Amino acid sequence: MESESTFIAWLRDRLPPHSALRLGPGDDAAVLAWATADDVVVTVDMLMDGVDFELADVDPRRAGRKALAVNLSDLAAMAAQPVAALVALALPRHGGLALAQSLYEGLLPLAERFGVALAGGDTNSWDGPLVISITAIGRPRNGRVWKRSGARPGDVLLVTGQLGGSILGKHLDFTPRVEEALALAERYEIHAAMDISDGLALDLSRLTDESRCGAVVDVTSIPIAPAAVELAAQRRDGVTPLDHALADGEDFELLLAAEPSVAERILAEQVLSGRFGVPITAIGQFVAEPRLWQRDAAGEVSRLAPRGYEHRLD
Amino acid sequence: MESESTFIAWLRDRLPPHSALRLGPGDDAAVLAWATADDVVVTVDMLMDGVDFELADVDPRRAGRKALAVNLSDLAAMAAQPVAALVALALPRHGGLALAQSLYEGLLPLAERFGVALAGGDTNSWDGPLVISITAIGRPRNGRVWKRSGARPGDVLLVTGQLGGSILGKHLDFTPRVEEALALAERYEIHAAMDISDGLALDLSRLTDESRCGAVVDVTSIPIAPAAVELAAQRRDGVTPLDHALADGEDFELLLAAEPSVAERILAEQVLSGRFGVPITAIGQFVAEPRLWQRDAAGEVSRLAPRGYEHRLD
């Protein structure tokens, strides 16, 4: 029988020092040195066994890593530099300590890679399945954040990486686009951004709703992931690789809006410099007319339904 | 069938404006205006149905209120002014939307009373029981926080309110000692503080461990709550009201360390001014000798076991 204090002691031994962490785990709250009058960017995501991963099939280190990565993806979507995270766990009673340690073994390397201080948490056990709730805290890279609401008609729609088929593995092992977001925020004026967590079409519809405009997607330009092709081949259910790229959840790539001259520079300079870890592709334009539209290979424009993963509440 | 977006729209309608909330729920993260170089104080607590409350017996508004209150108690223990909170929910599939609304109906008035901006959250449903994870963010009242580690031999041990028997109702409906903490931090030098969440004796032992000292508790001075008397009478199991006051969890009162002259002023001025919502009582002294001790009515000193609620991990 071990206690939460034993676990906190184990954890304290493994936490590298961090300049932002004035007071870390072990008190009633953590204290982050902020040092400037910058805004504080905060986000939370809760992942549950059986919904966001299946502990029966997945190494818990990958689950722990994912729980932090989805939060870093949200910070990236705001162009915020990650600073700290808090980890709350509901652990199954049996084997909870070992499970907690595995979760942390998965998330600690990711935290270190992106400079995230593990500032604290809450470790519980119960008769239910594993629940991980992580709060991430960041700082705007250039004094201001990217919002969903800034896209303007005429802006080019850009996307990082490739889309679709994430369920085959990427949803656990993706790299949050923090470095890309910060590099873009440093050099270019981005009008709006968000990360794709519920599907390109659905998330794009949220971005256009917040921006009070619409968008035309050039479906022939969408970078389709090999996993989307593989998933379509595996399932043989008539869902095409393009459908997967348009509607699969958990891509965790970034959607960006920038005016054409800026988009051109981004696209040209990534080739010249190899600046970003992933390719950035132009896949459409924002338009004044609300709603989503798709342009096919023949240039025909038709409505695009905002398909994707809707979180349902009964 | 409703979706998370419907719920967020419902919530946005109910959120009062807040000067610290530059960007609230609905984007990938929330943005808090910080405006000064003050530190950021952060804490998280996760509450689970069947562990921290029983939804079968309790109005969900009280559960929602409790989930925020325990976090505000942690901020109070740091002398931090609450600024914002993030709410992550795992809701049972059936009736999840109505449950989420009730939880918020319980926590919104408490948020408003203490000036807390609801900055965002994550709303999920699943086949498991309700889980509520709240992150609270605050700002040190006077530029610096109270820690557990500052108590010195010779300091007086003070406690707010009355202790024991919280399970009879206070654990759901307690008032976090935010106003008391901020008023104390404004006027007096407090060396160390924490809130009592797992029992006076156990939490005091954590405070003395962090402060590398010990403490003698005058057990005759402990303010025993009427609920502790009632619980002892109900249970007739030989556990006395004093035992309940020493070891019951979830009092959510504050333990404070202050040097004798300061403690005297606090005790005198609370009588003169009626400044605090609850009485503050001196219940012992910090000593150089490690560990906890108790002094009984006859002046005899013996060891005091650090009893309370230990969070177990198997």
Side-chain angles (χ1 to χ4, degrees), chain B residues 139-190:
Chain B
R139 180 197 296 279
R141 177 58 158 231
N142 283 332
R144 65 198 186 83
V145 297
W146 293 340
K147 301 179 198 176
R148 296 182 182 180
S149 59
R152 303 173 200 164
D155 281 353
V156 175
L157 171 62
L158 300 165
V159 70
T160 61
Q162 300 175 315
L163 306 179
S166 173
I167 190 71
L168 293 184
K170 182 184 175 188
H171 78 106
L172 287 166
D173 301 319
F174 69 97
T175 299
R177 301 306 183 199
V178 173
E179 286 157 6
E180 291 75 11
L182 299 182
L184 287 165
E186 284 274 313
R187 294 178 59 84
Y188 308 104
E189 196 193 342
I190 301 295

Side-chain angles (χ1 to χ4, degrees), chain A residues 2 22 32 39-40 135 313, chain B residues 2 22 32 39-40 135 313:
Chain A
E2 302 284 347
R22 213 187 285 286
L32 306 176
D39 288 346
V40 178
T135 304
L313 297 177
Chain B
E2 304 284 349
R22 213 187 284 286
L32 305 176
D39 288 347
V40 178
T135 304
L313 296 177

Side-chain angles (χ1 to χ4, degrees), chain B residues 114-150:
Chain B
F114 290 107
V116 178
L118 286 169
D122 184 28
T123 309
N124 308 278
S125 57
W126 73 327
D127 295 321
L130 173 66
V131 180
I132 315 174
S133 180
I134 295 190
T135 304
I137 300 169
R139 180 197 296 279
R141 177 58 158 231
N142 283 332
R144 65 198 186 83
V145 297
W146 293 340
K147 301 179 198 176
R148 296 182 182 180
S149 59

